[in-house]
């Protein structure tokens, strides 16, 4: 168990599956008090199984009242928030923009962008007023925060926007000892990337299988970011399957 986290309090969104589950379980193992946010309680319970330092909070991050209630419950239980991992996100089927239903756009924006804004807003407010003041917000960007996959306008647009949110929070957090960084993940082995094992569209029109990496590599990276003293910050970090098509994609 880590000796330097002093039972810090972390909130992880999208904690029921994939990256969120892996990061949450690593933080729990390292002795953090961890609030698990996600839409499905049964999946959050699976993530938290056998742990005593977790708090299960079913929450739709796109809903302002639900977010405020969840964050209030965390503070009521543990008194503060030290880390937010803004992880909840979703994609949509691969389509050109003219074939993308407006409903798909709105759903992706609601979760990926508005949800991240709402959670960061709630965390920032608490971190600003707590004693000792400050904390760390870690946003889950994506390789798509830099380059798109074919037919991914909603997802790519929101992930580019997350970079703007990260930069704004980094600047606005300075007077309050609030650090903000972004982890950009490429092809972590989770249910969301299972399709890559059978082939996904490439920029040249082909369909190819892509390599993936163990999702535990993401958990290691996020934990490293969280464990830094607030005088230091990982502003942006990319952790990805080494031979995936990113460098030279397209």
């Amino acid at each position: 168990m880590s000796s330097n986290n002093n039972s810090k309090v972390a909130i992880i969104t999208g904690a029921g599956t994939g990256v969120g589950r892996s990061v949450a379980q690593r933080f729990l193992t390292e002795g953090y008090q961890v609030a698990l946010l996600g839409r499905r309680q049964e999946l959050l319970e699976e993530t938290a199984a056998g742990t005593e330092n977790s708090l299960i909070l079913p929450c739709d991050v796109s809903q302002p009242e639900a977010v405020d209630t969840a964050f209030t419950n965390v503070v009521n239980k543990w008194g503060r928030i030290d880390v937010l991992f803004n992880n909840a996100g979703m994609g949509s089927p691969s389509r050109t923009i003219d074939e993308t239903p407006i409903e798909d756009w709105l759903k992706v924006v609601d979760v990926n962008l508005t949800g991240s804004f709402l959670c960061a807003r709630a965390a920032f407010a608490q971190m600003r007023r707590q004693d000792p003041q400050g904390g760390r917000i870690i946003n889950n960007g994506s390789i798509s925060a830099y380059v798109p996959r074919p037919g991914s306008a909603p997802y790519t647009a929101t992930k580019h926007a997350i970079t703007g949110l990260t930069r704004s929070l980094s600047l606005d957090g300075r007077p309050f000892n609030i650090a903000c960084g972004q982890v950009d993940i490429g092809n972590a082995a989770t249910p969301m990337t299972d399709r890559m094992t059978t082939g996904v569209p490439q920029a040249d029109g082909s369909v190819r299988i892509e390599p993936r990496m163990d999702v535990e590599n993401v958990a290691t990276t996020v934990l490293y970011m969280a464990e830094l003293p607030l005088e230091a910050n990982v502003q942006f970090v990319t952790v990805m399957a080494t031979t995936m098509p990113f460098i030279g994609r397209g």
Side-chain angles (χ1 to χ4, degrees):
M1 184 174 292
S2 177
S3 60
N4 65 344
N5 66 57
N6 298 317
S7 297
K8 287 181 179 177
V9 176
I11 296 178
I12 297 175
T13 69
T17 60
V19 166
R21 172 173 285 185
S22 177
V23 172
Q25 290 176 336
R26 177 67 67 83
F27 274 55
L28 286 165
T29 298
E30 294 294 325
Y32 281 73
Q33 312 285 358
V34 182
L36 310 174
L37 274 63
R39 296 191 188 201
R40 296 173 57 183
Q41 179 161 341
E42 64 272 19
L43 294 178
L44 298 176
E45 290 174 349
E46 290 176 10
T47 298
T51 64
E52 297 179 353
N53 49 330
S54 58
L55 178 61
I56 294 172
L57 295 170
C59 177
D60 180 346
V61 297
S62 70
Q63 301 301 312
E65 290 184 2
V67 170
D68 287 343
T69 297
F71 278 67
T72 297
N73 286 339
V74 174
V75 176
N76 286 344
K77 182 174 179 64
W78 288 318
R80 63 182 291 111
I81 300 169
D82 296 292
V83 179
L84 165 65
F85 181 37
N86 232 344
N87 167 72
M90 64 176 295
S92 61
S94 178
R95 298 186 178 104
T96 56
I97 192 168
D98 58 312
E99 296 176 346
T100 299
I102 294 172
E103 293 76 16
D104 283 8
W105 166 264
L106 293 174
K107 287 177 184 176
V108 174
V109 170
D110 280 350
V111 174
N112 294 9
L113 185 54
T114 301
S116 294
F117 168 84
L118 292 173
C119 291
R121 182 176 184 270
F124 193 106
Q126 173 60 32
M127 291 172 178
R128 178 177 181 172
R129 66 175 182 259
Q130 64 195 9
D131 184 21
Q133 187 182 60
R136 190 180 304 276
I137 297 170
I138 301 171
N139 292 327
N140 185 345
S142 171
I143 295 295
S144 295
Y146 299 91
V147 291
R149 288 186 175 278
S152 66
Y155 186 80
T156 297
T158 58
K159 291 304 185 179
H160 274 64
I162 289 298
T163 299
L165 180 65
T166 298
R167 294 184 189 277
S168 292
L169 292 171
S170 296
L171 180 59
D172 293 346
R174 287 178 186 173
F176 312 111
N177 206 27
I178 298 171
C180 182
Q182 181 171 316
V183 57
D184 296 310
I185 302 164
N187 289 15
T190 68
M192 183 179 284
T193 62
D194 281 346
R195 61 195 176 91
M196 293 176 183
T197 63
T198 56
V200 291
Q202 304 294 313
D204 62 2
S206 65
V207 175
R208 300 180 192 169
I209 293 171
E210 291 190 13
R212 300 192 298 168
M213 64 171 179
D214 192 328
V215 69
E216 288 300 310
N217 294 308
V218 179
T220 299
T221 304
V222 175
L223 180 66
Y224 171 76
M225 297 170 76
E227 293 277 69
L228 287 173
L230 288 174
E231 67 180 17
N233 186 41
V234 174
Q235 188 66 66
F236 295 97
V237 61
T238 300
V239 55
M240 53 178 268
T242 304
T243 57
M244 69 171 286
F246 168 51
I247 303 301
R249 181 191 289 186

